[in-house]
Amino acid sequence: MRATLMYRAGDVRVENVPDSRIENPTDALVRITASCICGSDLHPYHSMTADEGPARMGHELIGVVEEVGTEVATLKRGDLVVSPFAISDNACEYCRENLQTSCSHHEAGFWDGLQNEGGQAEAVRVPLADGTLVKLPVAPDSALIPSLLTLADVLGTGYHAAKAAGVLPGQDVTVIGDGAVGLMAVLSAKRLGAERIVLMGRHTDRTDLGREFGATDVVAERGEEGIARVRELTGGQGTYAVLEAVGHMPAYEQAVGVVRPGGVISRVGVPQYEEAPIGFASLFRHNIRLAGGPAPVRAYIEELLPDILDGTIEPGKVFDTTTDLDGVPAGYRDMDERKSLKVLIKP
Amino acid sequence: MRATLMYRAGDVRVENVPDSRIENPTDALVRITASCICGSDLHPYHSMTADEGPARMGHELIGVVEEVGTEVATLKRGDLVVSPFAISDNACEYCRENLQTSCSHHEAGFWDGLQNEGGQAEAVRVPLADGTLVKLPVAPDSALIPSLLTLADVLGTGYHAAKAAGVLPGQDVTVIGDGAVGLMAVLSAKRLGAERIVLMGRHTDRTDLGREFGATDVVAERGEEGIARVRELTGGQGTYAVLEAVGHMPAYEQAVGVVRPGGVISRVGVPQYEEAPIGFASLFRHNIRLAGGPAPVRAYIEELLPDILDGTIEPGKVFDTTTDLDGVPAGYRDMDERKSLKVLIKP
């Protein structure tokens, strides 16, 4: 079968690999019908060394169950399913607390950590299939597929940013980053009733979509200038919640700059730093809280699915390009060059 | 009048200073009857340069109102009052949200930031007296004074650690630090219904008091060894809430080491660092949250006062030494050398 491998920064190839197949009785084999490239895939695309590659890529997927292991109880051949970016048994202590990204099962983890599987491919072996996969009540060629595919990561990740920040009706929110996750954070803050949603981003096509999703203000300036602009918009205070959907240090610094005393910075962009300012001058003085992490998107699927099925939300609008597997390397390049917002793959 | 000044690290003197007096119509002049030395006073005692001194010291006080400004409405001469370590109008937007430490009034701030006033003295001018001071329904020589004095800082600060962590009945909590604030955090976690309270500290007299306040386990080991011990006690998981009552980097690292996935580190020890690990490996991977800051102790006084008055809690037990103003320099030394846990001053 064919699959996407990253050999090192900037070097993405689609190659023949051994067919995925059932290995454990709790596995499912899924024929992938829709997948995509994630903003977080751009991090290794910038930084991966040759020693770290080649790595199988892709952690967002919809597909048709082709075969199930002997212990899989809830799925059968022919089911259309979506897989979150994290594998979990959905049964352990952490999963029951809706923290599936910290599932304690020994097979749990991230797709990105698996050696021989990935979503940007023709098929995939899904470990802990009963826990990981969620059945979708539509056909594989449904017009809703792009929106449903966002349940695998970006929608749930943006929603997690807003939930972890504790966004409540009437609150003011700043979203940092106009990538797909940032736009989903806007949509999520809106869904939770935020009144003013300031989107910090400088790509007009994206921020326009952000306005469609609920942003009330767009700030294109960055750094000190951007901070001053948000403060100006909010009576000098900053906003109670700041959803940081980038992961780079300047985005964190911007978050510290625009958060209101007593407020919260909720991070869902994978941090590309380890150390950062959290002392008296940055967080402590005004009781600023820090929240977030890898989103337990599995926890949010049941809640968000009905809104997609009935058309209340259309998160699939973040896909502005569709390609087949052959087009994946160009898809990375286009996303990196901001020519594409998010690339849908039909393998 | 006489007052305490710190000239530089290790150099504390009691000297004659100009009498405090009413300056603004919202001031009160308070004759101090009980004050104390704070663990946080030891930070400048270690690090203050000669350029930064001399500074008036002391931010915890009980006293008798001697005079009030023309606009003071709720206090009169003869009232016994306690002052939190932060001055606030208790009326602004932040105060109404119970974040009095971020009060937006231009006279608000910390006692420690005032040039010519301090609690380790015979008297003090209290700005924004109506907002800052709380009347106490006892006599100045009541046996409850030591416990009531903890309302000025350490009790409210320990309570803030537990509240900011969202401690709920039945939860497991680790408290880092066996100073007065750490012990108050133990008492507070107990008051909020925590089931297991692991106290990390290595001074047996203090941890014994910690056990009396509610600690179920004491871990004397520090660093990696201490982390391993807490994990051993908690089935390898760590605890959901970690209350960090020290402020030095090793305490923060210990907190990261013992917090459970999805848990929270609540800091009330004033950070003696600005940068610290918060990236994927430390906080992000398992959605660890960071909370805390200078405690809005004003917000907690009404809630905690009845428990002191009826003897439910006896936080005053943290005072193991009493002195007059002359004994203050020795009090700093004794606290620094861990000969005293907390020194009560009767000026």
Side-chain angles (χ1 to χ4, degrees):
Chain A
M1 66 177 218
R2 304 180 73 225
T4 303
L5 294 116
M6 188 181 289
Y7 277 77
R8 58 182 300 164
D11 184 359
V12 174
R13 309 179 199 174
V14 177
E15 295 184 343
N16 284 314
V17 299
D19 284 352
S20 290
R21 56 180 182 78
I22 301 281
E23 290 177 13
N24 299 315
T26 50
D27 289 347
L29 181 69
V30 171
R31 181 71 38 191
I32 295 169
T33 57
S35 175
C36 51
I37 305 174
C38 186
S40 71
D41 293 335
L42 297 180
H43 291 317
Y45 191 74
H46 294 146
S47 65
M48 184 186 276
T49 63
D51 287 350
E52 294 167 324
R56 289 283 291 275
M57 300 301 295
H59 55 253
E60 300 150 287
L61 66 97
I62 284 176
V64 178
V65 175
E66 199 161 270
E67 191 186 343
V68 293
T70 52
E71 289 177 19
V72 174
T74 62
L75 301 166
K76 62 177 195 308
R77 185 180 164 87
D79 286 342
L80 188 73
V81 290
V82 60
S83 171
F85 67 84
I87 293 149
S88 65
D89 65 10
N90 213 25
C92 78
E93 183 184 351
Y94 293 106
C95 287
R96 289 196 309 271
E97 293 171 15
N98 279 330
L99 193 64
Q100 286 87 345
T101 41
S102 292
C103 174
S104 58
H105 194 287
H106 68 276
E107 286 184 77
F110 299 122
W111 279 115
D112 287 341
L114 285 189
Q115 190 65 36
N116 298 311
E117 303 294 343
Q120 293 160 10
E122 288 184 292
V124 71
R125 173 183 75 87
V126 181
L128 305 175
D130 279 328
T132 304
L133 297 172
V134 179
K135 269 195 271 196
L136 296 174
V138 299
D141 60 353
S142 160
L144 293 175
I145 291 296
S147 285
L148 294 167
L149 183 56
T150 66
L151 291 168
D153 184 347
V154 290
L155 175 57
T157 294
Y159 198 58
H160 184 57
K163 291 288 275 188
V167 171
L168 294 172
Q171 276 177 350
D172 288 355
V173 176
T174 302
V175 174
I176 298 178
D178 59 8
V181 171
L183 299 181
M184 295 293 96
V186 168
L187 180 151
S188 300
K190 172 80 176 175
R191 186 178 187 277
L192 293 172
E195 194 167 293
R196 165 168 244 158
I197 302 172
V198 182
L199 172 59
M200 301 189 79
R202 62 201 173 109
H203 305 90
T204 315
D205 50 337
R206 300 177 177 201
T207 55
D208 283 351
L209 188 52
R211 286 187 194 273
E212 197 176 319
F213 285 149
T216 54
D217 303 86
V218 168
V219 171
E221 296 88 345
R222 312 169 90 180
E224 287 306 317
E225 211 183 334
I227 291 169
R229 184 81 189 100
V230 175
R231 293 207 163 264
E232 194 183 303
L233 283 169
T234 54
Q237 311 275 311
T239 60
Y240 175 80
V242 180
L243 316 184
E244 197 281 86
V246 180
H248 289 291
M249 181 53 80
Y252 176 76
E253 290 168 341
Q254 216 153 278
V256 170
V258 302
V259 68
R260 182 181 180 282
V264 55
I265 297 170
S266 181
R267 297 180 299 166
V268 291
V270 182
Q272 301 302 299
Y273 50 83
E274 187 56 40
E275 305 244 328
I278 62 166
F280 195 83
S282 46
L283 302 188
F284 192 84
R285 169 64 186 91
H286 287 292
N287 277 274
I288 309 300
R289 287 164 294 135
L290 196 58
V297 299
R298 177 66 189 83
Y300 302 126
I301 293 181
E302 280 86 352
E303 181 181 349
L304 296 170
L305 183 56
D307 277 14
I308 294 175
L309 294 175
D310 70 13
T312 306
I313 56 174
E314 296 183 79
K317 288 186 176 177
V318 294
F319 292 106
D320 57 352
T321 312
T322 301
T323 184
D324 57 13
L325 273 179
D326 288 331
V328 168
Y332 273 81
R333 199 173 51 240
D334 287 352
M335 278 181 62
D336 186 41
E337 294 172 0
R338 303 291 187 269
K339 289 181 189 163
S340 295
L341 168 53
K342 192 165 175 72
V343 175
L344 182 77
I345 304 165
K346 299 212 161 180
Chain B
M1 66 177 217
R2 303 180 71 227
T4 303
L5 293 117
M6 188 180 289
Y7 278 77
R8 56 182 300 165
D11 184 358
V12 174
R13 309 179 199 174
V14 176
E15 295 183 342
N16 284 315
V17 299
D19 284 351
S20 290
R21 56 179 183 79
I22 301 281
E23 291 177 12
N24 299 316
T26 49
D27 289 347
L29 180 68
V30 171
R31 179 73 37 192
I32 296 169
T33 58
S35 176
C36 51
I37 305 174
C38 185
S40 71
D41 293 335
L42 296 180
H43 292 316
Y45 191 73
H46 294 146
S47 66
M48 184 187 275
T49 62
D51 286 350
E52 294 168 325
R56 288 285 292 276
M57 300 300 296
H59 55 254
E60 300 150 286
L61 68 97
I62 283 176
V64 178
V65 174
E66 201 162 87
E67 190 186 342
V68 293
T70 52
E71 288 177 19
V72 174
T74 62
L75 300 166
K76 62 178 192 308
R77 185 178 164 89
D79 286 341
L80 187 72
V81 291
V82 60
S83 170
F85 67 85
I87 294 149
S88 64
D89 66 10
N90 213 26
C92 78
E93 183 184 352
Y94 292 107
C95 287
R96 289 196 309 271
E97 293 171 15
N98 279 330
L99 193 64
Q100 285 87 346
T101 42
S102 293
C103 174
S104 59
H105 194 287
H106 69 277
E107 286 183 77
F110 300 122
W111 279 114
D112 288 342
L114 285 190
Q115 190 67 33
N116 298 312
E117 304 293 342
Q120 295 161 9
E122 288 183 292
V124 72
R125 173 182 74 87
V126 181
L128 305 175
D130 279 329
T132 303
L133 297 172
V134 179
K135 269 195 271 196
L136 296 175
V138 298
D141 59 353
S142 161
L144 292 175
I145 291 296
S147 284
L148 293 167
L149 184 56
T150 67
L151 290 168
D153 184 347
V154 290
L155 174 58
T157 295
Y159 197 59
H160 184 57
K163 291 288 276 189
V167 171
L168 294 172
Q171 275 177 349
D172 289 355
V173 176
T174 302
V175 174
I176 298 178
D178 59 8
V181 171
L183 299 181
M184 295 293 95
V186 168
L187 180 152
S188 301
K190 171 81 175 173
R191 187 177 187 278
L192 293 173
E195 193 167 293
R196 164 167 244 158
I197 302 172
V198 182
L199 173 59
M200 302 190 81
R202 62 203 174 110
H203 305 89
T204 315
D205 50 337
R206 299 176 177 202
T207 55
D208 283 351
L209 187 53
R211 285 187 196 274
E212 197 177 316
F213 285 149
T216 54
D217 303 86
V218 168
V219 170
E221 295 87 346
R222 310 170 90 181
E224 286 306 318
E225 212 182 334
I227 291 169
R229 185 82 189 97
V230 175
R231 294 209 162 261
E232 195 184 303
L233 283 170
T234 54
Q237 311 275 311
T239 60
Y240 175 80
V242 180
L243 315 185
E244 198 281 86
V246 179
H248 290 292
M249 181 54 80
Y252 176 76
E253 290 168 341
Q254 217 153 276
V256 171
V258 302
V259 68
R260 182 181 180 283
V264 55
I265 296 170
S266 180
R267 298 180 299 165
V268 291
V270 182
Q272 301 302 299
Y273 50 83
E274 188 55 42
E275 305 244 328
I278 62 166
F280 195 83
S282 47
L283 302 188
F284 192 84
R285 169 64 186 89
H286 287 291
N287 278 274
I288 310 299
R289 286 163 293 136
L290 196 58
V297 301
R298 177 65 189 83
Y300 302 127
I301 292 181
E302 280 86 354
E303 182 182 348
L304 296 170
L305 182 57
D307 278 14
I308 293 176
L309 294 176
D310 70 13
T312 305
I313 56 173
E314 295 182 79
K317 288 186 176 178
V318 294
F319 292 107
D320 57 352
T321 311
T322 300
T323 184
D324 56 14
L325 272 179
D326 288 331
V328 168
Y332 273 81
R333 199 172 51 239
D334 288 352
M335 278 180 62
D336 186 41
E337 294 172 359
R338 302 293 187 269
K339 289 179 189 163
S340 295
L341 169 52
K342 192 165 175 72
V343 174
L344 183 77
I345 305 166
K346 296 210 161 181

